[in-house]
Amino acid sequence: MERRHFEQEHTIFRASFREFLQREVVPHQDAWEEAGIVPREIWCKAGESGFLVPFADEKYGGAGARDFRYDQIVCEELAYINEPGFIMPLHSSLCAPYLDTFGNEAQKDRWMPDIVAGNTIMAVAMTEPGAGSDLAGMRTHAEKKDDHWLLNGSKIYISNGILADLIIVAAKTNPDNKHAMTLFMIEAGMPGFERGRNLKKLGMKSQDTAELFFNDVKVPPENVLGQVDFGFYYLMQMLAQERLTNACCAIAGAKAAYDVTKTYVTERKAFGREIAKFQNTRFKMAEMKTEIDIGQVFVDRCVMDHNQQQLKDDIAAEAKLWTTELLCKVVDQCVQLHGGAGYMWEYPITRMYANARIQRIFAGTSEIMKEIIGRANGFA
Ligand SMILES: Cc1cc2nc3c(=O)[nH]c(=O)nc-3n(C[C@H](O)[C@H](O)[C@H](O)COP(=O)(O)OP(=O)(O)OC[C@H]3O[C@@H](n4cnc5c(N)ncnc54)[C@H](O)[C@@H]3O)c2cc1C
């Protein structure tokens, strides 16, 4: 189905980004997967080519393109090549917007140019061993001292956890109020900040996911993002964009799985005919195509609403819920249509299957999305 919300400049951006990925990423994907991490240089190359943080102001080296369609294209093209480790959407569409929205001018001047250039890689650390869905249950805390904050605690499952140079860390700052959190910008090399091992995962194997530890980290006031005690409110404010980003990636992932399966079923034969000629295959492919097209229209509409600052939290939650559930259904059916080949790592569908599963869990689980949607519709 033809998509109507892209203009010529988006098509040009997509073509150039696609060419970049084919040249700089695709040839290295197996090696990155083996290493469990991507090299820093790829971030710098993406920065040099102008693909990181497209919304950033020109004075920071950005294109000043405050148009989420560019973020959407980045999500889609990475999903089409099934590259989970070079997690540009986390850096550009989730982390950098915190600095843009809540940072002061001095903080932006200090960090934004290197973030746009890819010299500074970002991460956001909310989840803890004892607090994921229930963020208010976090135990990481910071205490105000004379001229600094003293940060203590730990975070888990942090994407870019090994590579990140600048991490937005949420911590409690008022023991009498469980929602009083503050966001701290923690920099690599700060004494007391340590990283655990690169965690072994079911999928997304080229992405570094790690535990982070903070033991009496002295954080200067210049590294406090926004107002003290407002962190929880800031996190909530950014969740709609985070969920929309997930939805953009998920629906594109479903399309990618559909495409590789279409090729496979037209080449593979059984009982003297192409797998594609069986009615079951045709029906499954037709069902998947229909649901992907419907999901894509909804996501595209959300992107345009978000560009107008009109995307509501519960609608973003609907987009995340629907697309990530659809993605997991699609990859499962596509594995089935591949037969035994669908269980072999050398086939793209197998990696897509493994990579997809987390989408229903991170950035808010499907159950939490249903709670948000339910509450917004009067089911308290
Ligand atoms: C690969 C990976 C990358 C990640 N990257 C990051 C990152 O960069 N930064 C970061 O901060 N976090 C990150 N996370 C953490 C992720 O966001 C959390 O795992 C997720 O939010 C779920 O939290 P949890 O694991 O504590 O599960 P829990 O909250 O313990 O949930 C367990 C189960 O209980 C259900 N449940 C919980 N509360 C309710 C409720 N109220 N009603 C109904 N059901 C409920 C959940 O839906 C789930 O099914 C990442 C996780 C993974 C695996």
Side-chain angles (χ1 to χ4, degrees):
M1 190 172 170
E2 191 196 339
R3 298 169 70 190
R4 301 212 174 128
H5 72 314
F6 291 121
E7 316 278 344
Q8 194 185 8
E9 56 266 31
H10 302 110
T11 309
I12 293 167
F13 177 82
R14 185 190 292 279
S16 143
F17 185 52
R18 186 174 287 184
E19 189 275 327
F20 172 83
L21 292 179
Q22 288 300 324
R23 179 167 34 87
E24 301 290 351
V25 173
V26 171
H28 308 292
Q29 282 181 287
D30 286 347
W32 295 354
E33 197 178 86
E34 197 66 34
I37 197 163
V38 306
R40 303 187 70 83
E41 299 78 67
I42 188 61
W43 287 95
C44 298
K45 284 182 182 173
E48 269 165 37
S49 307
F51 295 125
L52 295 178
V53 201
F55 71 78
D57 291 346
E58 285 173 23
K59 66 174 170 172
Y60 303 127
R66 291 188 181 270
D67 174 351
F68 201 76
R69 286 173 287 186
Y70 291 103
D71 301 73
Q72 183 180 23
I73 289 167
V74 168
C75 292
E76 290 179 356
E77 292 302 318
L78 285 165
Y80 295 152
I81 62 160
N82 194 26
E83 175 45 58
F86 183 32
I87 189 164
M88 288 171 61
L90 171 69
H91 178 86
S92 297
S93 309
L94 303 187
C95 295
Y98 275 96
L99 179 60
D100 180 60
T101 311
F102 308 117
N104 57 39
E105 286 310 306
Q107 290 173 324
K108 290 181 199 177
D109 289 348
R110 180 171 157 207
W111 287 310
M112 204 52 114
D114 277 333
I115 290 170
V116 175
N119 301 325
T120 293
I121 301 170
M122 294 194 82
V124 60
M126 302 182 239
T127 308
E128 301 187 0
S133 305
D134 179 16
L135 277 181
M138 77 170 55
R139 301 180 67 167
T140 297
H141 59 279
E143 211 182 322
K144 184 83 178 83
K145 300 289 179 186
D146 290 343
D147 64 346
H148 63 271
W149 290 83
L150 206 56
L151 178 69
N152 277 287
S154 69
K155 300 287 176 182
I156 199 167
Y157 311 145
I158 304 307
S159 305
N160 275 348
I162 300 288
L163 274 178
D165 307 286
L166 186 63
I167 304 162
I168 304 162
V169 177
K172 292 265 183 78
T173 35
N174 181 348
D176 300 326
N177 176 358
K178 71 173 186 166
H179 289 111
M181 289 173 199
T182 301
L183 302 183
F184 295 95
M185 302 295 269
I186 300 303
E187 297 173 83
M190 280 183 159
F193 165 42
E194 282 168 21
R195 306 167 204 257
R197 68 198 157 85
N198 191 352
L199 299 167
K200 289 214 177 295
K201 303 187 291 296
L202 167 71
M204 302 185 83
K205 290 183 185 294
S206 57
Q207 191 222 94
D208 54 311
T209 309
E211 232 176 319
L212 308 177
F213 302 97
F214 310 99
N215 297 310
D216 285 339
V217 180
K218 277 186 176 180
V219 188
E222 303 82 62
N223 284 41
V224 172
L225 193 66
Q227 284 190 52
V228 170
D229 288 347
F230 273 61
F232 192 75
Y233 166 75
Y234 294 156
L235 294 173
M236 296 303 118
Q237 199 174 320
M238 300 308 273
L239 284 177
Q241 174 151 327
E242 181 171 353
R243 287 168 186 157
L244 178 59
T245 304
N246 268 108
C248 292
C249 296
I251 197 74
K255 169 90 167 42
Y258 171 88
D259 285 345
V260 296
T261 305
K262 186 175 176 188
T263 305
Y264 185 81
V265 297
T266 49
E267 288 169 358
R268 173 80 180 168
K269 288 200 170 79
F271 298 96
R273 54 213 280 235
E274 290 169 10
I275 302 284
K277 296 269 196 273
F278 295 117
Q279 188 192 52
N280 176 64
T281 308
R282 291 201 308 274
F283 280 15
K284 284 283 173 230
M285 296 301 288
E287 284 165 16
M288 290 191 283
K289 177 71 169 48
T290 305
E291 289 184 279
I292 292 166
D293 278 351
I294 290 169
Q296 189 68 71
V297 171
F298 189 77
V299 171
D300 291 351
R301 164 70 190 270
C302 288
V303 166
M304 294 313 280
D305 282 358
H306 188 53
N307 270 354
Q308 307 291 324
Q309 281 96 45
Q310 283 177 1
L311 180 64
K312 293 188 188 145
D313 287 354
D314 58 310
I315 302 295
E318 287 181 15
K320 202 235 170 212
L321 173 66
W322 166 265
T323 56
T324 57
E325 292 286 334
L326 177 66
L327 169 65
C328 288
K329 186 168 90 174
V330 165
V331 291
D332 185 63
Q333 291 180 353
C334 289
V335 164
Q336 193 68 18
L337 288 169
H338 275 71
Y343 204 68
M344 297 296 128
W345 200 250
E346 66 206 74
Y347 282 84
I349 193 60
T350 312
R351 297 172 194 206
M352 290 175 177
Y353 179 84
N355 292 345
R357 188 60 184 83
I358 187 57
Q359 300 274 348
R360 288 161 58 198
I361 296 173
F362 64 14
T365 64
S366 288
E367 293 73 30
I368 296 297
M369 295 306 107
K370 289 179 195 174
E371 285 291 345
I372 293 166
I373 298 160
R375 273 201 297 273
N377 288 284
F379 299 97

